[in-house]
Amino acid sequence: MIKKSFIGMAKPQLLCEALESVLPEPEKISISARATFLLKMPHGQSVGKSSFSFEEGDKVITGQKLALAAKSNEYIVSSVTGKISSIKPFEGNFGQMYTAISIETAQKEEKDKGFKQTVKNVTLENINKYLLNSPGCSSLGILSDSAKPINTIIISGMDKDLLVTTNQYILKSDINAVKKGIKILKEISGVGKILVAVPPHLMDEASVLNVRVKTVGLDYPAAFPELFMKNVLGTVLPAEKSCEDAGVCFLSCESVACLGNAFEKGEIPVEKTFTFIKKDGSNVLVSAKIGTPLVDIFRELGVSLRDKDRIIIGGPMTGFAVYSEDYPVMPDTDAVMVQDSADVSYASDYPCINCGECIRICPADVPVNMLVRLLEAELYDEAAEQYDLHSCIECGLCSYVCTARIPIFQYIRLAKHELACTRSGENHSAEEKNAK
Amino acid sequence: MQNRQFIVSHAPFWHNGSKISSRSYNTVIAAIPALLLGFFHYGSPVVGVLALSISSAMIWELIMNLITRRPLTIGDGNAALTGTVFAMLLPATSPWWLVITGTFFAVVIGKQIFGGIGSNAFNPVVVAVAILMVSWKDFFDFNEALLNYDFEFIAAYPLAELKHFGTSAITSFDTVDLLMGKQTGGMGATFGLGIIIGGIYLIIRGIIRWEIPVSFLAGVFITALLFNISDPLKYANPVFHICTGYTLIGAFFLATEDSSSPVNFVPMLACGAFAGVMTVLIRNIGIYVDGVIYSILIMNLICPIIDKIRPKALGKVV
């Protein structure tokens, strides 16, 4: 953990991890006895057994799609061959409901041919149908959203959070796949402008990709899309608008490499590479099948956990903690971090003392000191109107430096979530009125 | 497989380790040089007043915590800090009841009734001193309060001399002597060099910001200079104003108090300069001998509005 130095006058500078020049070999995690997949459920939908096109005891083979019976775009792709042992509801962050599907793996692996038969057919439709659950690929769906036409694709070889080197590793180790992926992207999306954003030390690697390369410093949070757009592209994204609204789509190197590999090999990729951050802050790259429970990874890496330790999916600044070591590796798991109970920092219920540390560190110039006063009182609308709630890019730096240790970042996320809920509620009621 | 209990909380999972108590205690440490010289000049009464001030401030805080049934906050060191800074402003001969009443005004009236740390609109110490100054002004008349002391330097309160006898009375004060604390005044407020060293320590540690003290002193200097140029016989030179009274302690310890001072860059400069200008205006035109206390109170009053001057947030379209 990076602490404040004795000379506290200067802003603390947090640097993202640069991948070393000698490429590390990722630790390969062998197939575990059980794999779990979390299928995202639409909001407000009750989950009955009949909602699924599959049930407990069914046989599943590698690469097989599992989806809801009702029309829903969400699906998962099994990374193993075996038998469904349980189907349970699972609640994630901010009340997002999932269905946890556990599969007991069989000895012999069989592969689903569904994707292979259509592999010649390189279309957006095919990608949406098979690849959205592949490592890092969930954002590929944006490309086929007709409501938000994309004119620029930015392929990011940067990692958003501290200590994470997953994307840098993919760019370095699998540059040919990235190249193929870019070719496919060009063909199917019809987007003329494709950029690659990399940290300065990967400039040489990226230059072989035959697209324009932009470098971004390693200082946190320069890799955030909003800041990238402002500093590199020179367009300031209006608050409350997403990059897609502005016609810019950010894809990770991993997803592009995945695209290249999938159509090359005719298989849906199911191996996820991610950074594992150990208790002492050192990190290793790990490659495991999607769905592998974290406990298997801990065992293979020789990481022992005790009571009151913390398991974090994602990096130290923006990740989220999970309460069970049975939590699986997901397609968007870029990092897994374990934290010793001695290093766990607690939030306090102190009020803001107006020291101004957050003001000075905020990359988006949000008046955090005033904002947090309103958020504590649940005045979300006023916070958004007067104190720029929606300008926040969610980097977590304000909480990191907060002297009073207020969980500011969580207050902000909660406020945004609540506002989104009320707004979608209003939309629903408006639709109902129209229907009447 | 045994079932282990893990801690779940929200991002970020790192913290830079700063905390309120270390801020408070570092500020107390920064006050030590100035207080040491006070001890050297006035002897054991300094220890008595200081100890009583810190302990009574903490006890007031504890009592308020218990009455309002809120969590105990004396551990954050803020009450101790209030007691320390309050004692620095007092004459060493202050009677015990004055100290206890003062810390009551500081902690209870100045801070706790607003809702505790972070909620006070005014600097608690300044509120207390202002009330005491109005109520028992004889105890803040340093010439009277320190009558029984025998110093090896001029035992007259410089600002009072200036007020009553004009610039001719202050020619005997040497700037270096003033900075080295060879003057009468509050028991921790006279050693200019010590206060500056403490202030620089606080700035380096990132506990206070340079903008407020620098602009405060610049405000004092420029305003005093203008007065001095307009009538050198009537108005003292700017260096004299900076080295006497509560100017330096006001710049580094009073105006910079967290919750009553601004946080944005331009407002910090504006508020600091405003308080500096007001200080000299009160000293030169007003009836009070020293203007620091009241000018900081007025600054506290306007700073929430001034603090609205801030950079435009990312992506804000107005």
Side-chain angles (χ1 to χ4, degrees), chain A residues 66-268:
Chain A
L66 299 175
L68 287 174
K71 265 206 163 179
S72 163
N73 293 330
E74 298 291 343
Y75 58 86
I76 55 119
V77 173
S78 172
S79 63
V80 292
T81 306
K83 199 176 72 178
I84 297 179
S85 61
S86 79
I87 300 174
K88 279 190 224 132
F90 176 86
E91 191 172 350
N93 274 0
F94 290 113
Q96 174 64 53
M97 288 308 297
Y98 294 92
T99 301
I101 304 160
S102 293
I103 297 174
E104 265 172 44
T105 46
Q107 295 286 331
K108 200 166 152 264
E109 192 171 22
E110 283 174 58
K111 286 186 179 169
D112 191 82
K113 300 275 192 310
F115 179 66
K116 195 155 196 168
Q117 283 157 8
T118 56
V119 75
K120 291 275 174 310
N121 203 358
V122 185
T123 55
L124 273 179
E125 198 196 345
N126 232 350
I127 291 175
N128 281 342
K129 209 167 152 195
Y130 289 105
L131 292 180
L132 290 192
N133 198 55
S134 299
C137 286
S138 58
S139 47
L140 283 174
I142 296 164
L143 291 174
S144 48
D145 185 350
S146 55
K148 290 170 185 170
I150 300 294
N151 53 42
T152 311
I153 295 177
I154 291 159
I155 298 161
S156 166
M158 308 170 293
D159 294 283
K160 245 176 117 176
D161 213 324
L162 303 169
L163 295 180
V164 182
T165 53
T166 308
N167 258 319
Q168 297 175 43
Y169 171 78
I170 302 272
L171 181 71
K172 246 181 141 165
S173 65
D174 216 356
I175 191 85
N176 286 328
V178 178
K179 220 169 169 176
K180 277 176 208 131
I182 291 177
K183 214 175 134 217
I184 294 171
L185 273 181
K186 275 185 183 161
E187 281 169 21
I188 58 166
S189 67
V191 174
K193 200 171 167 192
I194 296 184
L195 297 178
V196 173
V198 291
H201 62 279
L202 292 180
M203 191 71 194
D204 291 340
E205 281 85 351
S207 58
V208 301
L209 291 173
N210 289 332
V211 284
R212 266 179 56 211
V213 179
K214 297 270 184 189
T215 57
V216 178
L218 282 170
D219 50 316
Y220 186 79
F224 278 59
E226 294 88 345
L227 289 182
F228 180 85
M229 293 208 31
K230 179 183 161 221
N231 297 334
V232 182
L233 300 184
T235 33
V236 176
L237 207 59
E240 255 190 293
K241 289 268 186 277
S242 64
C243 298
E244 293 83 56
D245 291 328
V248 180
C249 169
F250 279 81
L251 297 176
S252 64
C253 251
E254 189 182 26
S255 63
V256 180
C258 215
L259 208 60
N261 279 334
F263 285 101
E264 167 97 353
K265 293 176 188 153
E267 268 174 33
I268 304 176

Side-chain angles (χ1 to χ4, degrees), chain A residues 38-89:
Chain A
L38 297 180
L39 176 58
K40 203 170 169 185
M41 303 303 287
H43 264 293
Q45 184 163 327
S46 59
V47 183
K49 293 244 157 161
S50 57
S51 331
F52 307 106
S53 53
F54 48 89
E55 57 184 28
E56 279 179 26
D58 276 5
K59 196 186 162 207
V60 175
I61 56 174
T62 308
Q64 184 179 337
K65 266 176 75 172
L66 299 175
L68 287 174
K71 265 206 163 179
S72 163
N73 293 330
E74 298 291 343
Y75 58 86
I76 55 119
V77 173
S78 172
S79 63
V80 292
T81 306
K83 199 176 72 178
I84 297 179
S85 61
S86 79
I87 300 174
K88 279 190 224 132

Side-chain angles (χ1 to χ4, degrees), chain B:
Chain B
M1 190 176 69
Q2 84 245 56
N3 236 342
R4 278 170 295 217
Q5 308 268 312
F6 297 107
I7 291 183
V8 183
S9 64
H10 25 68
F13 301 98
W14 278 4
H15 192 271
N16 72 355
S18 62
K19 47 185 183 217
I20 296 175
S21 54
S22 72
R23 268 177 102 79
S24 302
Y25 295 132
N26 270 301
T27 316
V28 173
I29 288 171
I32 287 176
L35 281 165
L36 270 182
L37 195 89
F39 176 67
F40 180 70
H41 279 164
Y42 308 112
S44 54
V46 168
V47 181
V49 171
L50 182 65
L52 183 64
S53 177
I54 294 178
S55 55
S56 61
M58 290 174 71
I59 290 171
W60 285 125
E61 175 124 336
L62 181 66
I63 291 172
M64 282 307 282
N65 287 159
L66 294 176
I67 291 175
T68 54
R69 295 184 190 173
R70 287 160 67 104
L72 301 186
T73 52
I74 50 170
D76 64 25
N78 193 263
L81 171 64
T82 305
T84 311
V85 178
F86 176 69
M88 289 169 81
L89 301 178
L90 289 179
T93 53
S94 304
W96 62 269
W97 58 266
L98 187 77
V99 179
I100 293 180
T101 321
T103 51
F104 171 80
F105 283 127
V107 173
V108 180
I109 308 293
K111 187 173 86 173
Q112 286 293 341
I113 58 168
F114 289 101
I117 186 169
S119 308
N120 48 301
F122 302 99
N123 184 334
V125 175
V126 175
V127 170
V129 173
I131 295 174
L132 294 191
M133 270 180 159
V134 176
S135 310
W136 295 284
K137 64 175 189 293
D138 290 350
F139 288 101
F140 283 87
D141 182 341
F142 293 103
N143 284 333
E144 199 178 316
L146 302 173
L147 200 59
N148 296 327
Y149 273 95
D150 192 14
F151 301 109
E152 79 259 30
F153 50 85
I154 309 157
Y157 186 47
L159 284 174
E161 292 290 290
L162 174 68
K163 194 90 196 170
H164 304 311
F165 306 108
T167 46
S168 58
I170 59 160
T171 45
S172 48
F173 289 107
D174 176 57
T175 305
V176 178
D177 280 356
L178 288 176
L179 260 188
M180 292 311 292
K182 291 186 176 170
Q183 56 170 320
T184 55
M187 60 189 237
T190 54
F191 183 24
L193 189 67
I195 295 171
I196 293 172
I197 290 172
I200 290 174
Y201 171 78
L202 290 178
I203 290 174
I204 290 175
R205 291 302 307 271
I207 291 167
I208 65 171
R209 300 285 303 171
W210 62 266
E211 288 91 339
I212 295 175
V214 167
S215 61
F216 182 90
L217 294 177
V220 169
F221 188 90
I222 292 167
T223 319
L225 186 68
L226 292 176
F227 272 102
N228 187 239
I229 292 169
S230 72
D231 189 351
L233 287 178
K234 200 170 165 204
Y235 301 115
N237 65 65
V239 178
F240 177 82
H241 275 293
I242 285 181
C243 298
T244 55
Y246 291 151
T247 314
L248 283 169
I249 194 171
F252 288 104
F253 285 86
L254 301 178
T256 53
E257 199 262 345
D258 283 327
S259 79
S260 57
S261 65
V263 293
N264 289 303
F265 180 70
V266 176
M268 279 197 282
L269 291 179
C271 279
F274 173 80
V277 172
M278 283 303 292
T279 299
V280 179
L281 287 181
I282 294 173
R283 280 182 185 178
N284 281 352
I285 303 174
I287 57 159
Y288 294 103
V289 170
D290 194 355
V292 172
I293 296 296
Y294 298 110
S295 69
I296 289 178
L297 273 186
I298 301 170
M299 177 201 103
N300 291 164
L301 194 65
I302 60 162
C303 97
I305 302 206
I306 304 277
D307 213 13
K308 292 208 179 260
I309 306 170
R310 56 183 171 85
K312 204 168 78 177
L314 184 74
K316 193 76 181 171
V317 195
V318 178

